[in-house]
């Protein structure tokens, strides 16, 4: 029995699963299997012909992973999802699914470093050009568009600048041309709903808030089911022309009986089939466990982060706090438009004492973990100038928003008094 609701709190616990049909088990079982016995030859043929959906082989689909996919799609307000082995795989597949060598993508410059590398180097080597534009002016996306532009790409809440992306403005430009906006919502699950603002595809690194406990690398693509691929055959040939890799299937036609999910079915049946990157059923289970408490955790994450941002803003050791509720003008207006219920749990701040103070700050922390991750239940800190951004020259660091004294915090679920007490230790050391 499907639970009829739009509330993420309920969907996070119920979407996609009730109980195991044979044992009654309530927790989603880990189907640790590679393959699945077909009922008969007709059943097998139907599965391969996509006349019927069901597990064939765990590289392409698995029942545990399937619950994760259904739950993610429900929470996000999308039509269907594809879980992958990492967020990197999700970003790559999201573009490779509709863009080929000779095509291009227009992307925001404000990206996670790994995504930037994927776009600027690996996809480029594969003949796919990514054109980077400044997202502060949405019109930059239109200016960079040509006949071979297949998608727009951006992150909702990119760090280190933490300036929220103008989702509906860029989505509206794209929709006129038949270009979908793909949004990486990793840093803002629950508090931002990109499909409500016209995004067509959402990608996640589930490694972060969705899994929530720093235990499993994972990624996902969610298809909004809200984009009319068929209306733009010249713009979107991958979904509108016969696909030789699946016996000449025209995806928008073949998938019609299953719903508006041609994009995600193609990603599963071609890219996942050919390139792998399937999550292990165990990691899918861990991610599902995390998602069950996602809404509750996000509430505490953002409440703690707001208190930390306010605390830091009052400190003489701190020259600047970078947090959406501390922004003004256009950046603040966008944060208020696209984030609901809080401003996220990532905070940047600049120490008066520059890089040396940044190092001393990090070394003095006792409770915060010093790691290159975000979105863990535990509080995390890093000094980007000497770690994640150390390969960039100072000029490139500054362009990406990383000053020598910039520190990034990912605020966790501990008691706020303990978080502030640990930060106090760091600030004392930064002063020295
Ligand atoms: N997108 C964002 C915003 C990220 O922060 C990360 C990882 O830090 C990724 C994508 C890549 O995800 P993963 O590490 O799961 O491959």
């Amino acid at each position: 029995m499907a639970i009829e609701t739009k509330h993420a709190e309920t969907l996070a616990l119920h979407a996609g699963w009730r109980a195991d049909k044979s044992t009654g088990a309530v927790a989603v079982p880990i189907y640790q299997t590679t393959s699945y016995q077909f009922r008969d030859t007709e059943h097998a043929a139907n599965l391969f012909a996509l006349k019927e959906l069901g597990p064939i082989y765990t590289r392409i689909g698995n029942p545990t992973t399937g619950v994760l996919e259904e739950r993610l799609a429900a929470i996000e307000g999308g039509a269907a999802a594809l879980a992958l082995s990492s967020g990197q795989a999700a970003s790559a597949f999201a573009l490779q699914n509709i863009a080929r060598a000779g095509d291009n993508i227009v992307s925001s410059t404000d990206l996670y470093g790994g995504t930037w590398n994927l776009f600027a180097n690996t996809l480029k080597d594969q003949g796919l050009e990514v054109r980077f534009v400044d997202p502060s002016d949405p019109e930059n996306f239109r200016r960079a568009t040509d006949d071979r532009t297949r998608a727009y790409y951006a992150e909702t809440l990119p760090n280190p600048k933490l300036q929220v992306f103008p989702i509906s403005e860029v989505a509206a430009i794209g929709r006129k041309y038949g270009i979908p906006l793909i949004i990486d919502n990793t840093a803002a699950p629950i508090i931002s709903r990109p499909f409500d603002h016209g995004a067509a595809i959402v990608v996640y690194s589930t490694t972060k808030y969705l899994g929530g406990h720093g235990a499993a690398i994972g990624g996902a693509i969610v298809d909004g089911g809200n984009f009319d691929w068929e209306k733009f055959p010249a713009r979107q040939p991958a979904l509108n022309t016969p696909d030789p890799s699946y016996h000449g299937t025209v995806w928008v036609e073949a998938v019609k009986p299953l719903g508006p999910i041609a994009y995600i079915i193609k990603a599963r049946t071609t890219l996942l089939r050919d390139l792998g990157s399937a999550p292990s059923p165990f990691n899918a289970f861990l991610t599902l466990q995390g998602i069950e408490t996602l809404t509750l955790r996000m509430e505490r994450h953002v409440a703690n982060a707001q208190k930390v941002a306010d605390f830091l803003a009052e400190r003489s050791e701190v020259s600047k706090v970078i947090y959406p509720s501390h922004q003004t003008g256009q950046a603040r207006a966008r944060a208020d438009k696209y984030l609901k219920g809080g401003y996220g749990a990532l905070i940047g701040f600049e120490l008066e004492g520059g890089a040396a103070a940044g190092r001393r700050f990090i070394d003095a922390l006792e409770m915060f973990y010093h790691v290159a991750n975000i979105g863990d239940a535990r509080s995390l800190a890093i000094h980007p100038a000497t770690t994640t951004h150390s390969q960039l020259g100072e000029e490139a660091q500054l362009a990406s928003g990383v000053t020598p004294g910039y520190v990034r915090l990912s605020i966790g679920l501990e008691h706020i008094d303990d978080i502030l007490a640990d930060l106090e230790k760091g600030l004392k050391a930064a002063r020295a």
Side-chain angles (χ1 to χ4, degrees):
M1 183 186 64
I3 308 288
E4 288 298 325
T5 180
K6 284 193 178 324
H7 297 297
E9 292 84 347
T10 310
L11 292 168
L13 291 159
H14 294 284
W17 180 257
R18 184 65 192 171
D20 184 60
K21 287 196 179 68
S22 55
T23 64
V26 170
V28 179
I30 302 169
Y31 289 98
Q32 196 67 41
T33 181
T34 55
S35 23
Y36 308 84
Q37 161 90 345
F38 304 125
R39 289 193 299 274
D40 50 35
T41 49
E42 190 189 353
H43 177 222
N46 281 346
L47 289 172
F48 278 89
L50 299 177
K51 286 188 186 147
E52 204 178 314
L53 291 183
I56 297 174
Y57 186 63
T58 282
R59 172 155 35 81
I60 306 165
N62 170 281
T64 311
T65 309
V67 178
L68 169 62
E69 291 165 339
E70 216 174 301
R71 199 160 287 185
L72 264 176
I75 293 171
E76 200 60 43
L82 178 67
L84 295 161
S85 58
S86 70
Q88 284 298 105
S91 312
F93 278 26
L95 298 183
Q96 289 170 324
N97 199 35
I98 47 173
R100 300 174 180 152
D103 294 339
N104 67 75
I105 304 298
V106 181
S107 170
S108 165
T109 44
D110 295 349
L111 294 175
Y112 162 60
T115 310
W116 191 88
N117 251 327
L118 166 70
F119 288 5
N121 298 304
T122 301
L123 292 185
K124 185 175 166 206
D125 287 348
Q126 294 173 358
L128 184 55
E129 180 197 358
V130 179
R131 301 174 174 180
F132 296 100
V133 299
D134 176 358
S136 58
D137 180 1
E139 284 300 314
N140 286 338
F141 280 79
R142 191 197 308 275
R143 288 182 198 110
T145 299
D146 68 15
D147 288 349
R148 299 293 297 269
T149 304
R150 303 285 179 241
Y152 294 159
Y153 191 98
E155 293 179 17
T156 309
L157 180 60
N159 77 84
K161 289 182 189 161
L162 296 174
Q163 290 181 358
V164 173
F165 183 76
I167 302 175
S168 63
E169 293 87 333
V170 175
I173 294 170
R175 279 177 184 270
K176 278 200 201 108
Y177 298 107
I179 298 172
L181 173 62
I182 301 172
I183 286 281
D184 179 340
N185 202 38
T186 297
I190 304 297
I191 59 172
S192 182
R193 295 180 58 84
F195 293 142
D196 291 352
H197 304 287
I201 305 295
V202 165
V203 302
Y204 278 109
S205 164
T206 61
T207 312
K208 315 296 194 259
Y209 294 103
L210 298 184
H213 298 81
I217 299 283
I221 307 176
V222 187
D223 185 339
N226 62 5
F227 195 82
D228 194 350
W229 306 95
E230 213 173 349
K231 195 171 155 198
F232 302 96
R235 173 70 68 185
Q236 300 298 345
L239 293 173
N240 281 288
T241 50
D243 186 343
S245 98
Y246 215 90
H247 47 70
T249 293
V250 177
W251 292 104
V252 291
E253 286 167 13
V255 176
K256 221 175 260 174
L258 303 174
I261 54 173
Y263 172 93
I264 209 77
I265 293 277
K266 176 180 182 290
R268 183 188 299 282
T269 47
T270 62
L271 290 174
L272 190 56
R273 178 200 62 187
D274 297 348
L275 300 177
S277 300
S280 78
F282 184 60
N283 276 4
F285 170 81
L286 289 175
T287 307
L288 270 167
Q289 285 293 107
I291 287 175
E292 291 195 353
T293 55
L294 176 65
T295 57
L296 204 53
R297 285 188 288 106
M298 288 311 289
E299 281 176 25
R300 172 68 76 85
H301 274 298
V302 300
N304 277 351
Q306 183 64 57
K307 288 176 192 155
V308 169
D310 296 345
F311 164 83
L312 291 171
E314 297 296 318
R315 300 298 302 227
S316 59
E317 303 88 341
V318 174
S319 53
K320 189 174 178 191
V321 171
I322 297 112
Y323 187 66
S325 71
H326 284 247
Q327 291 161 350
T328 55
Q330 187 185 64
R332 175 62 191 270
R334 286 180 182 159
D336 287 337
K337 179 173 176 187
Y338 295 112
L339 303 181
K340 298 290 174 213
Y343 293 94
L346 302 178
I347 301 176
F349 66 97
E350 287 172 20
L351 285 162
E352 286 285 359
R359 279 190 136 115
R360 288 199 301 275
F361 175 90
I362 298 281
D363 285 337
L365 296 174
E366 289 175 5
M367 187 183 77
F368 275 69
Y369 280 87
H370 180 199
V371 296
N373 192 22
I374 58 168
D376 196 304
R378 306 154 190 87
S379 288
L380 318 173
I382 199 154
H383 180 231
T386 53
T387 56
T388 52
H389 290 63
S390 58
Q391 284 94 353
L392 305 179
E394 198 172 323
E395 208 172 306
Q397 284 190 3
L398 289 177
S400 73
V402 172
T403 55
Y406 184 102
V407 174
R408 184 186 76 196
L409 303 177
S410 172
I411 301 299
L413 308 177
E414 302 92 344
H415 194 284
I416 187 64
D417 292 352
D418 297 324
I419 294 175
L420 297 183
D422 208 42
L423 292 173
E424 188 67 57
K425 288 178 194 150
L427 292 173
K428 187 170 167 221
R431 254 193 333 262

mmCIF file with all atom_site columns, all heavy atoms in Angstrom, residues 99-117:
data_model
loop_
_atom_site.group_PDB
_atom_site.id
_atom_site.type_symbol
_atom_site.label_atom_id
_atom_site.label_alt_id
_atom_site.label_comp_id
_atom_site.label_asym_id
_atom_site.label_entity_id
_atom_site.label_seq_id
_atom_site.pdbx_PDB_ins_code
_atom_site.Cartn_x
_atom_site.Cartn_y
_atom_site.Cartn_z
_atom_site.occupancy
_atom_site.B_iso_or_equiv
_atom_site.pdbx_formal_charge
_atom_site.auth_seq_id
_atom_site.auth_comp_id
_atom_site.auth_asym_id
_atom_site.auth_atom_id
_atom_site.pdbx_PDB_model_num
ATOM 1   N N   . ALA A 1 99  ? 24.604 14.269 -23.936 1.00 0.00 ? 99  ALA A N   1
ATOM 2   C CA  . ALA A 1 99  ? 25.594 15.027 -24.714 1.00 0.00 ? 99  ALA A CA  1
ATOM 3   C C   . ALA A 1 99  ? 26.687 14.101 -25.235 1.00 0.00 ? 99  ALA A C   1
ATOM 4   O O   . ALA A 1 99  ? 27.167 13.234 -24.509 1.00 0.00 ? 99  ALA A O   1
ATOM 5   C CB  . ALA A 1 99  ? 26.194 16.118 -23.844 1.00 0.00 ? 99  ALA A CB  1
ATOM 6   N N   . ARG A 1 100 ? 27.051 14.326 -26.480 1.00 0.00 ? 100 ARG A N   1
ATOM 7   C CA  . ARG A 1 100 ? 28.076 13.490 -27.109 1.00 0.00 ? 100 ARG A CA  1
ATOM 8   C C   . ARG A 1 100 ? 29.255 14.348 -27.519 1.00 0.00 ? 100 ARG A C   1
ATOM 9   O O   . ARG A 1 100 ? 29.184 15.580 -27.453 1.00 0.00 ? 100 ARG A O   1
ATOM 10  C CB  . ARG A 1 100 ? 27.529 12.858 -28.389 1.00 0.00 ? 100 ARG A CB  1
ATOM 11  C CG  . ARG A 1 100 ? 26.339 12.001 -28.158 1.00 0.00 ? 100 ARG A CG  1
ATOM 12  C CD  . ARG A 1 100 ? 25.769 11.524 -29.478 1.00 0.00 ? 100 ARG A CD  1
ATOM 13  N NE  . ARG A 1 100 ? 24.604 10.683 -29.219 1.00 0.00 ? 100 ARG A NE  1
ATOM 14  C CZ  . ARG A 1 100 ? 23.584 10.539 -30.051 1.00 0.00 ? 100 ARG A CZ  1
ATOM 15  N NH1 . ARG A 1 100 ? 23.572 11.157 -31.215 1.00 0.00 ? 100 ARG A NH1 1
ATOM 16  N NH2 . ARG A 1 100 ? 22.572 9.766  -29.726 1.00 0.00 ? 100 ARG A NH2 1
ATOM 17  N N   . ALA A 1 101 ? 30.329 13.708 -27.998 1.00 0.00 ? 101 ALA A N   1
ATOM 18  C CA  . ALA A 1 101 ? 31.485 14.441 -28.503 1.00 0.00 ? 101 ALA A CA  1
ATOM 19  C C   . ALA A 1 101 ? 31.004 15.450 -29.540 1.00 0.00 ? 101 ALA A C   1
ATOM 20  O O   . ALA A 1 101 ? 30.184 15.119 -30.405 1.00 0.00 ? 101 ALA A O   1
ATOM 21  C CB  . ALA A 1 101 ? 32.483 13.464 -29.115 1.00 0.00 ? 101 ALA A CB  1
ATOM 22  N N   . GLY A 1 102 ? 31.481 16.682 -29.423 1.00 0.00 ? 102 GLY A N   1
ATOM 23  C CA  . GLY A 1 102 ? 31.067 17.740 -30.351 1.00 0.00 ? 102 GLY A CA  1
ATOM 24  C C   . GLY A 1 102 ? 29.971 18.614 -29.769 1.00 0.00 ? 102 GLY A C   1
ATOM 25  O O   . GLY A 1 102 ? 29.761 19.736 -30.225 1.00 0.00 ? 102 GLY A O   1
ATOM 26  N N   . ASP A 1 103 ? 29.272 18.111 -28.749 1.00 0.00 ? 103 ASP A N   1
ATOM 27  C CA  . ASP A 1 103 ? 28.241 18.903 -28.080 1.00 0.00 ? 103 ASP A CA  1
ATOM 28  C C   . ASP A 1 103 ? 28.885 19.750 -26.978 1.00 0.00 ? 103 ASP A C   1
ATOM 29  O O   . ASP A 1 103 ? 30.062 19.579 -26.653 1.00 0.00 ? 103 ASP A O   1
ATOM 30  C CB  . ASP A 1 103 ? 27.194 17.984 -27.435 1.00 0.00 ? 103 ASP A CB  1
ATOM 31  C CG  . ASP A 1 103 ? 26.386 17.199 -28.465 1.00 0.00 ? 103 ASP A CG  1
ATOM 32  O OD1 . ASP A 1 103 ? 26.348 17.632 -29.632 1.00 0.00 ? 103 ASP A OD1 1
ATOM 33  O OD2 . ASP A 1 103 ? 25.800 16.167 -28.085 1.00 0.00 ? 103 ASP A OD2 1
ATOM 34  N N   . ASN A 1 104 ? 28.075 20.635 -26.385 1.00 0.00 ? 104 ASN A N   1
ATOM 35  C CA  . ASN A 1 104 ? 28.584 21.394 -25.241 1.00 0.00 ? 104 ASN A CA  1
ATOM 36  C C   . ASN A 1 104 ? 27.520 21.535 -24.154 1.00 0.00 ? 104 ASN A C   1
ATOM 37  O O   . ASN A 1 104 ? 26.330 21.332 -24.394 1.00 0.00 ? 104 ASN A O   1
ATOM 38  C CB  . ASN A 1 104 ? 29.123 22.763 -25.673 1.00 0.00 ? 104 ASN A CB  1
ATOM 39  C CG  . ASN A 1 104 ? 28.025 23.683 -26.176 1.00 0.00 ? 104 ASN A CG  1
ATOM 40  O OD1 . ASN A 1 104 ? 27.239 24.220 -25.398 1.00 0.00 ? 104 ASN A OD1 1
ATOM 41  N ND2 . ASN A 1 104 ? 27.949 23.836 -27.504 1.00 0.00 ? 104 ASN A ND2 1
ATOM 42  N N   . ILE A 1 105 ? 28.013 21.883 -22.976 1.00 0.00 ? 105 ILE A N   1
ATOM 43  C CA  . ILE A 1 105 ? 27.200 22.108 -21.774 1.00 0.00 ? 105 ILE A CA  1
ATOM 44  C C   . ILE A 1 105 ? 27.580 23.495 -21.283 1.00 0.00 ? 105 ILE A C   1
ATOM 45  O O   . ILE A 1 105 ? 28.753 23.854 -21.355 1.00 0.00 ? 105 ILE A O   1
ATOM 46  C CB  . ILE A 1 105 ? 27.605 21.106 -20.664 1.00 0.00 ? 105 ILE A CB  1
ATOM 47  C CG1 . ILE A 1 105 ? 27.496 19.671 -21.133 1.00 0.00 ? 105 ILE A CG1 1
ATOM 48  C CG2 . ILE A 1 105 ? 26.837 21.352 -19.366 1.00 0.00 ? 105 ILE A CG2 1
ATOM 49  C CD1 . ILE A 1 105 ? 26.137 19.219 -21.517 1.00 0.00 ? 105 ILE A CD1 1
ATOM 50  N N   . VAL A 1 106 ? 26.632 24.256 -20.773 1.00 0.00 ? 106 VAL A N   1
ATOM 51  C CA  . VAL A 1 106 ? 26.991 25.517 -20.122 1.00 0.00 ? 106 VAL A CA  1
ATOM 52  C C   . VAL A 1 106 ? 26.850 25.301 -18.618 1.00 0.00 ? 106 VAL A C   1
ATOM 53  O O   . VAL A 1 106 ? 25.787 24.881 -18.145 1.00 0.00 ? 106 VAL A O   1
ATOM 54  C CB  . VAL A 1 106 ? 26.110 26.689 -20.587 1.00 0.00 ? 106 VAL A CB  1
ATOM 55  C CG1 . VAL A 1 106 ? 26.555 27.982 -19.903 1.00 0.00 ? 106 VAL A CG1 1
ATOM 56  C CG2 . VAL A 1 106 ? 26.177 26.841 -22.111 1.00 0.00 ? 106 VAL A CG2 1
ATOM 57  N N   . SER A 1 107 ? 27.938 25.566 -17.894 1.00 0.00 ? 107 SER A N   1
ATOM 58  C CA  . SER A 1 107 ? 27.942 25.304 -16.449 1.00 0.00 ? 107 SER A CA  1
ATOM 59  C C   . SER A 1 107 ? 28.318 26.546 -15.656 1.00 0.00 ? 107 SER A C   1
ATOM 60  O O   . SER A 1 107 ? 29.134 27.363 -16.100 1.00 0.00 ? 107 SER A O   1
ATOM 61  C CB  . SER A 1 107 ? 28.945 24.193 -16.131 1.00 0.00 ? 107 SER A CB  1
ATOM 62  O OG  . SER A 1 107 ? 29.136 24.085 -14.733 1.00 0.00 ? 107 SER A OG  1
ATOM 63  N N   . SER A 1 108 ? 27.766 26.647 -14.473 1.00 0.00 ? 108 SER A N   1
ATOM 64  C CA  . SER A 1 108 ? 28.214 27.664 -13.523 1.00 0.00 ? 108 SER A CA  1
ATOM 65  C C   . SER A 1 108 ? 29.684 27.423 -13.198 1.00 0.00 ? 108 SER A C   1
ATOM 66  O O   . SER A 1 108 ? 30.138 26.280 -13.133 1.00 0.00 ? 108 SER A O   1
ATOM 67  C CB  . SER A 1 108 ? 27.386 27.559 -12.250 1.00 0.00 ? 108 SER A CB  1
ATOM 68  O OG  . SER A 1 108 ? 27.990 28.267 -11.206 1.00 0.00 ? 108 SER A OG  1
ATOM 69  N N   . THR A 1 109 ? 30.415 28.507 -12.936 1.00 0.00 ? 109 THR A N   1
ATOM 70  C CA  . THR A 1 109 ? 31.816 28.363 -12.497 1.00 0.00 ? 109 THR A CA  1
ATOM 71  C C   . THR A 1 109 ? 31.886 27.862 -11.061 1.00 0.00 ? 109 THR A C   1
ATOM 72  O O   . THR A 1 109 ? 32.903 27.306 -10.649 1.00 0.00 ? 109 THR A O   1
ATOM 73  C CB  . THR A 1 109 ? 32.530 29.730 -12.509 1.00 0.00 ? 109 THR A CB  1
ATOM 74  O OG1 . THR A 1 109 ? 31.656 30.702 -11.929 1.00 0.00 ? 109 THR A OG1 1
ATOM 75  C CG2 . THR A 1 109 ? 32.942 30.147 -13.902 1.00 0.00 ? 109 THR A CG2 1
ATOM 76  N N   . ASP A 1 110 ? 30.801 28.076 -10.284 1.00 0.00 ? 110 ASP A N   1
ATOM 77  C CA  . ASP A 1 110 ? 30.850 27.757 -8.853  1.00 0.00 ? 110 ASP A CA  1
ATOM 78  C C   . ASP A 1 110 ? 30.495 26.297 -8.632  1.00 0.00 ? 110 ASP A C   1
ATOM 79  O O   . ASP A 1 110 ? 29.321 25.928 -8.499  1.00 0.00 ? 110 ASP A O   1
ATOM 80  C CB  . ASP A 1 110 ? 29.872 28.660 -8.078  1.00 0.00 ? 110 ASP A CB  1
ATOM 81  C CG  . ASP A 1 110 ? 30.300 30.112 -8.150  1.00 0.00 ? 110 ASP A CG  1
ATOM 82  O OD1 . ASP A 1 110 ? 31.434 30.372 -8.615  1.00 0.00 ? 110 ASP A OD1 1
ATOM 83  O OD2 . ASP A 1 110 ? 29.519 30.982 -7.753  1.00 0.00 ? 110 ASP A OD2 1
ATOM 84  N N   . LEU A 1 111 ? 31.548 25.476 -8.603  1.00 0.00 ? 111 LEU A N   1
ATOM 85  C CA  . LEU A 1 111 ? 31.360 24.024 -8.548  1.00 0.00 ? 111 LEU A CA  1
ATOM 86  C C   . LEU A 1 111 ? 32.291 23.405 -7.529  1.00 0.00 ? 111 LEU A C   1
ATOM 87  O O   . LEU A 1 111 ? 33.375 23.940 -7.258  1.00 0.00 ? 111 LEU A O   1
ATOM 88  C CB  . LEU A 1 111 ? 31.720 23.402 -9.907  1.00 0.00 ? 111 LEU A CB  1
ATOM 89  C CG  . LEU A 1 111 ? 30.864 23.719 -11.115 1.00 0.00 ? 111 LEU A CG  1
ATOM 90  C CD1 . LEU A 1 111 ? 31.509 23.088 -12.347 1.00 0.00 ? 111 LEU A CD1 1
ATOM 91  C CD2 . LEU A 1 111 ? 29.435 23.208 -10.939 1.00 0.00 ? 111 LEU A CD2 1
ATOM 92  N N   . TYR A 1 112 ? 31.894 22.256 -7.026  1.00 0.00 ? 112 TYR A N   1
ATOM 93  C CA  . TYR A 1 112 ? 32.795 21.397 -6.257  1.00 0.00 ? 112 TYR A CA  1
ATOM 94  C C   . TYR A 1 112 ? 34.021 21.116 -7.146  1.00 0.00 ? 112 TYR A C   1
ATOM 95  O O   . TYR A 1 112 ? 33.891 20.889 -8.357  1.00 0.00 ? 112 TYR A O   1
ATOM 96  C CB  . TYR A 1 112 ? 32.044 20.109 -5.901  1.00 0.00 ? 112 TYR A CB  1
ATOM 97  C CG  . TYR A 1 112 ? 32.905 18.963 -5.499  1.00 0.00 ? 112 TYR A CG  1
ATOM 98  C CD1 . TYR A 1 112 ? 33.743 19.063 -4.386  1.00 0.00 ? 112 TYR A CD1 1
ATOM 99  C CD2 . TYR A 1 112 ? 32.906 17.779 -6.225  1.00 0.00 ? 112 TYR A CD2 1
ATOM 100 C CE1 . TYR A 1 112 ? 34.556 18.002 -4.014  1.00 0.00 ? 112 TYR A CE1 1
ATOM 101 C CE2 . TYR A 1 112 ? 33.706 16.710 -5.855  1.00 0.00 ? 112 TYR A CE2 1
ATOM 102 C CZ  . TYR A 1 112 ? 34.536 16.829 -4.751  1.00 0.00 ? 112 TYR A CZ  1
ATOM 103 O OH  . TYR A 1 112 ? 35.337 15.783 -4.399  1.00 0.00 ? 112 TYR A OH  1
ATOM 104 N N   . GLY A 1 113 ? 35.232 21.100 -6.537  1.00 0.00 ? 113 GLY A N   1
ATOM 105 C CA  . GLY A 1 113 ? 36.469 20.940 -7.309  1.00 0.00 ? 113 GLY A CA  1
ATOM 106 C C   . GLY A 1 113 ? 36.499 19.679 -8.160  1.00 0.00 ? 113 GLY A C   1
ATOM 107 O O   . GLY A 1 113 ? 37.002 19.684 -9.283  1.00 0.00 ? 113 GLY A O   1
ATOM 108 N N   . GLY A 1 114 ? 35.963 18.593 -7.631  1.00 0.00 ? 114 GLY A N   1
ATOM 109 C CA  . GLY A 1 114 ? 35.955 17.337 -8.381  1.00 0.00 ? 114 GLY A CA  1
ATOM 110 C C   . GLY A 1 114 ? 35.093 17.440 -9.626  1.00 0.00 ? 114 GLY A C   1
ATOM 111 O O   . GLY A 1 114 ? 35.424 16.890 -10.688 1.00 0.00 ? 114 GLY A O   1
ATOM 112 N N   . THR A 1 115 ? 33.993 18.143 -9.518  1.00 0.00 ? 115 THR A N   1
ATOM 113 C CA  . THR A 1 115 ? 33.116 18.335 -10.684 1.00 0.00 ? 115 THR A CA  1
ATOM 114 C C   . THR A 1 115 ? 33.817 19.228 -11.703 1.00 0.00 ? 115 THR A C   1
ATOM 115 O O   . THR A 1 115 ? 33.762 18.987 -12.908 1.00 0.00 ? 115 THR A O   1
ATOM 116 C CB  . THR A 1 115 ? 31.786 18.984 -10.242 1.00 0.00 ? 115 THR A CB  1
ATOM 117 O OG1 . THR A 1 115 ? 31.261 18.249 -9.144  1.00 0.00 ? 115 THR A OG1 1
ATOM 118 C CG2 . THR A 1 115 ? 30.778 18.998 -11.368 1.00 0.00 ? 115 THR A CG2 1
ATOM 119 N N   . TRP A 1 116 ? 34.495 20.244 -11.189 1.00 0.00 ? 116 TRP A N   1
ATOM 120 C CA  . TRP A 1 116 ? 35.206 21.158 -12.087 1.00 0.00 ? 116 TRP A CA  1
ATOM 121 C C   . TRP A 1 116 ? 36.251 20.381 -12.896 1.00 0.00 ? 116 TRP A C   1
ATOM 122 O O   . TRP A 1 116 ? 36.365 20.545 -14.106 1.00 0.00 ? 116 TRP A O   1
ATOM 123 C CB  . TRP A 1 116 ? 35.860 22.286 -11.269 1.00 0.00 ? 116 TRP A CB  1
ATOM 124 C CG  . TRP A 1 116 ? 36.373 23.386 -12.140 1.00 0.00 ? 116 TRP A CG  1
ATOM 125 C CD1 . TRP A 1 116 ? 35.675 24.472 -12.573 1.00 0.00 ? 116 TRP A CD1 1
ATOM 126 C CD2 . TRP A 1 116 ? 37.677 23.474 -12.728 1.00 0.00 ? 116 TRP A CD2 1
ATOM 127 N NE1 . TRP A 1 116 ? 36.466 25.239 -13.403 1.00 0.00 ? 116 TRP A NE1 1
ATOM 128 C CE2 . TRP A 1 116 ? 37.698 24.650 -13.516 1.00 0.00 ? 116 TRP A CE2 1
ATOM 129 C CE3 . TRP A 1 116 ? 38.820 22.678 -12.672 1.00 0.00 ? 116 TRP A CE3 1
ATOM 130 C CZ2 . TRP A 1 116 ? 38.825 25.053 -14.227 1.00 0.00 ? 116 TRP A CZ2 1
ATOM 131 C CZ3 . TRP A 1 116 ? 39.942 23.067 -13.394 1.00 0.00 ? 116 TRP A CZ3 1
ATOM 132 C CH2 . TRP A 1 116 ? 39.935 24.242 -14.146 1.00 0.00 ? 116 TRP A CH2 1
ATOM 133 N N   . ASN A 1 117 ? 36.994 19.519 -12.222 1.00 0.00 ? 117 ASN A N   1
ATOM 134 C CA  . ASN A 1 117 ? 38.004 18.701 -12.911 1.00 0.00 ? 117 ASN A CA  1
ATOM 135 C C   . ASN A 1 117 ? 37.380 17.792 -13.949 1.00 0.00 ? 117 ASN A C   1
ATOM 136 O O   . ASN A 1 117 ? 37.889 17.656 -15.070 1.00 0.00 ? 117 ASN A O   1
ATOM 137 C CB  . ASN A 1 117 ? 38.707 17.805 -11.881 1.00 0.00 ? 117 ASN A CB  1
ATOM 138 C CG  . ASN A 1 117 ? 40.118 18.267 -11.647 1.00 0.00 ? 117 ASN A CG  1
ATOM 139 O OD1 . ASN A 1 117 ? 40.765 18.761 -12.559 1.00 0.00 ? 117 ASN A OD1 1
ATOM 140 N ND2 . ASN A 1 117 ? 40.564 18.120 -10.428 1.00 0.00 ? 117 ASN A ND2 1
#
